Amino acid sequence: MALKHLKVKSLAGKIFTSVLAFTLGIIVALAAVMITIYYVSYEHDAEAELAASAQDAARYLNATPSADNEPILEAQFSGLTRYTLIAPDGTVLYDSAADTTGMDNHADRPEVQQAAASGEAVTMRYSETLGTDTVYAAVKLDDGSIVRLSETRHSLLSFLGNMLVPVLVALVVAVVLVFVLSRVLTSRIMKPIDALDFANPLDNEIYEEMDPLLTRIDEQQRQLKQQNAELAQAENLRRDFSSNVSHEMKTPLQVISGYAELMKNDMVQPADRQKFAALIYDEAQAMRSLITDVLTLSRLDEAAFGDEATPVDLVATAHRVAGRLESFAAGQGVSVQVEGACALIRGSETLAEEMLYNLIENGIRYNHPGGEVVVSLGMEPVGVVAAGEGAAAWVGARRPEAGEVVVRVSDTGSGIPADLRDKVFERFFRVDKSRSKETGGTGLGLAIVKHAVIYHGGTIEVEESPTGGTVFVLRLPAA
Ligand code: ADP
């Protein structure tokens, strides 16, 4: 599978170019140094040798009468070295390589001038036409004439020219070697990387340079796993919720269709008709409440109460809710009181009403005839726990400058066992199942309340009231 990157670089290519550049650099530098050393020492040796030969020849010539010099030179010294005998006036008397008759006067030659002045001289001249260097060694004889030896050899340039082929061959060999080397190196370097176990990034024994990368991968994998776990959990919750909802729907539907069937088949005494109709009505009402609560919860899950934050006067809301629940309360023989003058928050009016409605309704529902529900609303400085509340001091991060609205809904009912006080906010959790169902509870009321409180940035706690009943304490940021 080809990965889509903006830039794809080859490791082999990178190694190849780096090693090649390095190798070429070294070859060129070495060649330059060696050629220089070789050439310099070669030249120096050649000069020294020629100078020694010139001295030898001079010694030999001085030891014989000067008239015999030419024949001696002709007879004794021959070979690659060119011998020239020059008279003190510059006339060439003898030359082993050329005919002296056509030769010009040599008095102007640097080596001749130098030897005439100081006894001996070594010079070198470059011939552009031949591309050669010629070394001259001249020694002045006792009679004033000068014997000169000269040797021709390749100039530095032609020497370099000769070296060019071997150097090029070396370069080509180097390129091939480096190419092979880069392949081998790449596969060696890549071997442990190819064998990486990305499922357990930190278990790999590999280059320490890769540790940060592997650590990052490990972190991200852990995050992913966590996210997946959270997603799976959310998915489970949703599935549970759906199956709970269907389950809760089934019972009223069965009751409704059962009684309706009886009535349809005319199997109900006229006297019982009203009773059956009432049963059907109650079950339909229960289904309606359930559907309403489910819809409210899913809207809350989707945060669909969005940005419609408006000032909400909770005292007015509580009075309105008490009004709505008046007949229910009267039916249960429970009285509802609302106390408080000022409790302003910012948020959703609908949700706030839903919240108080569920709490007050529960206070009535899980009460006994003659009991009462008191809703007290007020403002308090943040974090203050009223005496007698018995709750742990509230620790939280809310705006310290603003006060908070505290709503206490207390009842004289049977209370909630301490170990179940956290669970009552779970969806479909009921302490007293039959009581809840008899009175039209859905098991979703407190889940909605908790959601609504969180939506408004507040907290909710359950406590025991002085009468052994329940107190729900809500703390909401004041507007
Ligand atoms: P329900 O519709 O059953 O009332 P809730 O979510 O409102 O569902 O409440 C969950 C459970 O918590 C109830 O079934 C009930 O057992 C218990 N509960 C709630 N409020 C009170 C209360 N004021 N007094 C006693 N028990 C309560």
Side-chain angles (χ1 to χ4, degrees), residues 332 365-368 432-440:
Q332 301 284 319
R365 183 178 291 151
Y366 303 104
N367 220 317
H368 50 75
D432 184 347
K433 213 161 248 169
S434 57
R435 182 79 176 260
S436 164
K437 291 208 166 173
E438 269 165 30
T439 48

Side-chain angles (χ1 to χ4, degrees), residues 246-327:
S246 338
H247 182 78
E248 295 283 333
M249 294 264 202
K250 240 183 221 161
T251 326
L253 263 180
Q254 271 166 359
V255 175
I256 289 171
S257 65
Y259 288 139
E261 196 181 11
L262 288 178
M263 290 169 87
K264 184 185 83 178
N265 296 338
D266 224 4
M267 289 167 79
V268 180
Q269 301 294 319
D272 290 336
R273 245 165 220 263
Q274 205 177 0
K275 195 180 90 191
F276 275 55
L279 284 169
I280 291 175
Y281 176 79
D282 286 349
E283 294 300 330
Q285 286 301 322
M287 275 186 70
R288 216 176 70 160
S289 316
L290 181 64
I291 289 169
T292 312
D293 282 0
V294 167
L295 287 178
T296 308
L297 266 179
S298 35
R299 277 182 72 197
L300 277 167
D301 281 344
E302 287 159 18
F305 287 88
D307 27 45
E308 42 178 293
T310 49
V312 182
D313 177 3
L314 284 184
V315 179
T317 312
H319 278 295
R320 207 165 42 240
V321 171
R324 284 172 60 196
L325 283 165
E326 213 176 281
S327 68

Side-chain angles (χ1 to χ4, degrees), residues 362-363 365-366 411 415-416 424 429-432 436 441-447 470 472:
N362 278 356
R365 183 178 291 151
Y366 303 104
D411 61 53
I416 301 171
V424 291
F429 179 84
R430 295 169 170 112
V431 181
D432 184 347
S436 164
T442 59
L444 295 176
L446 288 181
T470 312
F472 284 94

